[in-house]
Structures are given as C-alpha cells and as structure tokens.
Amino acid sequence: MGVAKFLRFHLELFSCPMTPTMLPGAPHIHYSGQQLCVEGCDLTILAQTYATPLFVYSKASMLAALAAYQRGFAGRNAQICYAMKANSSLAILQLFAQSGCGFDIVSGGELARALAAGADPKKVIFSGVGKTRQEMREALQAGIGCFNVESEAEIDVLNEVALGTGKVAPISIRVNPNVDPKTHPYISTGLKGNKFGIAHERTLVTYQRASKLAGLRVVGIDCHIGSQITDEAPYLDAMDRMLDLVTGIEAAGIPIEHIDFGGGLGINYNGDTPPQADALWSKLLAKLDAREFGSYKLMIEPGRSLVGNAGVCVTEVLYVKPGEQKNFCIVDAAMNDLPRPAMYQAFHTIVPLQHQTELASSALVMDVVGPICESGDWIGHDRTLFVQAGDRLAVLSAGAYCMSMASNYNSRPRAAEVLVDGANAYLIRNRDSLADQLRGEHLL
Ligand code: LLP
C-alpha cells in the first residue's frame, strides 16, 4: 500500500459509519447483535430466502416519515400527495393510500398503478411537462383532483381534450419561481433555465386566459423547485413568490382554492441534515399565517422523504479484485438496480450485513461496482471494506429512485422487493423471470 493510500485508509477508519445509531434510516434499520436488520427481520435470512440483489423496505420507517408531515399539518386543511415516481411499487402505494395520502402522478402508467393500489382519484394530481392527449383523457375519465399544467400550450390541449370528453378539467398552474434549491443540477427544477412550469412573470396572464376556457376550472397554484433539498431557505423564498402571485391572481377575480408547494425535501444519505418535515412545515405555516393565507387548502408532493431512508438494497460480493491503481469489490447489484451513483454521482452508505466493530488490518479501500459492462457502473467509490466473496452488503437509503428507476440493462432481471412489518416480511415484487424479460418481443 502506497503512503497516500495508507493515510486515506486510516483516515477512513475513523470516519467509517459503523455504529448502529449512525445508519441513515435508523432506528428501523439497525444492527441487532451482529446482524443488520430491518425492523424485526434479519437481512441475512431475507437474502437467503429471496436471493440478491434484494430491496427491503421498512413499513414503520415509511409511516414515521409520513407522520412527521401529518404532525406538521395537524389541524390544517391539507392533502399529502405522495410523489409516486420515488417508488411506485403497488404495495407501497397501497400503504400510503390506506394512510390517507393522495398521489402526484406524471404518466398514464402512474395513474393506472395508483388506481390499482386503491387511490382515491379525487386525491390524484397530475404533474409533468409532456402529458399526452391520451393520458389527459384517461385522467379525466378517472376524475382526478387536479392537472398541474406546465405550459401555455398544454392549457389549450387540455381544454380541447376536456371539451371533447364532455368533462371540465380542474387545473393548477405550475409556477417556475426562479428559486435556486442548491441541489444537483439534474434534480433542480424551479430555475428559469429548467423545462418546468410557467415563468413567474407569465403566470397572471396565463391564469386570465385559462379562466376563460370552458373546458377548464382553475382550482389551484403549484410549484416544485427541486429534489434532495437540505436547506429551508429555498422553500421560504418560493413560498413568498407564490403568495405574491396568489394575491395578484385573486385581485384579478380568479379565486384560488389550494396552494401546492411540491415536494423536494432531502434525506440523510451521508450525514446530510435536512430539516425535519414537521419543523420545516411549522416555519412555512407560520409564514402562511403571517401573510393571511393560513385558511387556504394546502397540498404537498413529497416523494424521497417518505420512502428514501426506509429502504436498503442487499447485495452479495461476487469477487474481490485488488489492483495496482484501484481495488474493486464486485457485487451482484449494478447500475440497473441502483442508477443514482451513475446518474448523479450520488453517495449511498454501504455497510456489511455482519456488524464489524473493528475493521481488520486487511481491509481495503475499494470501489464497489456491479457486473455491467461499463465503467459508469459503480455504487460507491473508495469505500473501506473488509469483505470476501460470498459476504453480503447493504446499500442504504435505497427506498427512493432506485427500484422505480431500475431497468433490464445487460438483460439483468429487476430485483425482488420485500416489505417488512415488524417481524413479518412480505414479498411485494418477484424478481423478473427470464420469461418476464422476453415477454412482448417478436422474432422476425
Ligand atoms: N413533484 C414533482 C412535480 C416532481 O417533479 C418531483 C420530483 C416531486 C414532486 C418529488 O420530489 P421529492 O420529494 O422526491 O424530492 N431521480 C432523482 C430525483 C428526481 C426528482 C424528480 N421530481 C434522484 O434520484 O435523485
């Protein structure tokens, strides 16, 4: 080991997040004795039962995350619409539907999933810059609560589709407030240069036009400024800008029934300290009250913060491959299961299923990589691990934007999913079979 690597290795020993209380997602994801558990279920046993890679979620962790929002909104007229793009597995949608949530959807597929999971269509809101006519028709037929319209052109198309189906589309206009959420550029959505929403300065005229169209009924206003936001300031700024607009729109004689502040609250991936949902909302509500908007119906669209820390991806070490410049820990999960590192250079904490109180002196600094044939297929860079083939690792904070973004790249099956409730584990999605992968394709 060279001097630089020796120093890095020993520095990492001190910063290695090995103690149970420091695991993102604690207390529902924790070591019990030597074994990493999700609630009352030992992940090693789940891996033996269902094989790897395997996503495992804690029901209690999801409900605790939801409860923080519910506490924040206690006594208010508020609707939480889970942004199901974060994790759209049916059992998870069912859990949120049964807990009173509505859903923020972005496609006809998400609408069908939400309805299949028991969603109340009136609590469904439809966001997205590229809704097709067919998707609009399906959502109108289902009787969804609101279309979050993202462009002036979409207003005309939605009006036409609504008139054609004999329905009136309830709409909200998504405002682009031009606020910097200070997050990764790919997941920042409320800046002028982003494709989302209608420019702040075009909002009033757009409402005036929309309010005159017979196929539309204005019900709200919305914004969503980005994702994995760890600072409260952008929310407070966006709220001020939205409320200024509501004042102007209502002064023009167009009543606004609900104000939707989007989602975006970050989670702890690597010691991140985003505000807690209840604390953030008590500040935001104080601002609403101070500006005399406290009686308006509130909507929010959280995704990641409801499910992100509730999930882990269990993976098995296939090979340890020491090298002159880099050591590699090759595991059976890959960028098709966990696309966030490759896409956003995202950090996910990786821990062994067997608790290691002390790292052995033969621990190596390694890149944790998958079997996919490209160098972008990495899950963690420069992690200090003491593992051998056959050991299992857990990639933490994998409840959001992992399975929902998973693919069959390299003709790999998408992983199985298990939902844990106390000491019980439920298989909520089978691993793709080979037949699943070949279905729908035709030889010439
Ligand atoms: N509402 C709208 C209109 C959205 O576009 C999004 C996320 C949300 C709500 C939920 O945001 P959240 O609470 O989850 O931050 N794949 C990326 C994240 C993309 C987020 C896209 N929009 C990632 O893995 O970081």
Side-chain angles (χ1 to χ4, degrees), residues 69 83 85-86 104 106 127-128 148 150 174 186-187 189 196 222-224 226-229 235 262-266 269 301-305 340 344 400-402 405:
Y69 280 103
K85 61 173 78 70
D104 170 52
V106 289
S127 305
N148 289 354
E150 303 231 15
R174 176 169 174 181
Y186 284 9
I187 52 176
T189 54
F196 300 97
D222 70 285
C223 75
H224 171 76
S227 198
Q228 186 52 18
I229 302 170
Y235 279 104
L265 185 56
Y269 284 104
E301 308 163 4
R304 187 192 315 265
S305 52
R340 304 192 64 259
Y344 320 108
Y401 301 113
C402 292
M405 291 171 67

Side-chain angles (χ1 to χ4, degrees), residues 97-117:
Q98 286 172 351
S99 307
C101 289
F103 295 93
D104 170 52
I105 65 165
V106 289
S107 70
E110 286 198 344
L111 174 63
R113 276 185 172 273
L115 297 177

Side-chain angles (χ1 to χ4, degrees), residues 354-438:
Q354 309 280 326
H355 188 37
Q356 298 165 348
T357 36
E358 258 178 51
L359 283 178
S361 55
S362 49
L364 287 178
V365 177
M366 295 192 267
D367 279 7
V368 179
V369 299
I372 283 181
C373 301
E374 51 181 291
S375 296
D377 180 26
W378 61 276
I379 297 170
H381 281 145
D382 297 328
R383 304 301 175 91
T384 306
L385 293 168
F386 175 56
V387 285
Q388 55 189 15
D391 288 350
R392 296 189 186 92
L393 300 170
V395 180
L396 303 185
S397 311
Y401 301 113
C402 292
M403 191 62 194
S404 59
M405 291 171 67
S407 76
N408 292 118
Y409 187 37
N410 276 206
S411 291
R412 289 167 49 84
R414 282 177 312 154
E417 295 181 294
V418 164
L419 182 69
V420 165
D421 181 8
N424 298 315
Y426 302 93
L427 181 68
I428 59 167
R429 184 197 294 261
N430 297 336
R431 185 176 308 285
D432 284 347
S433 65
L434 287 175
D436 290 334
Q437 285 206 60
L438 300 184

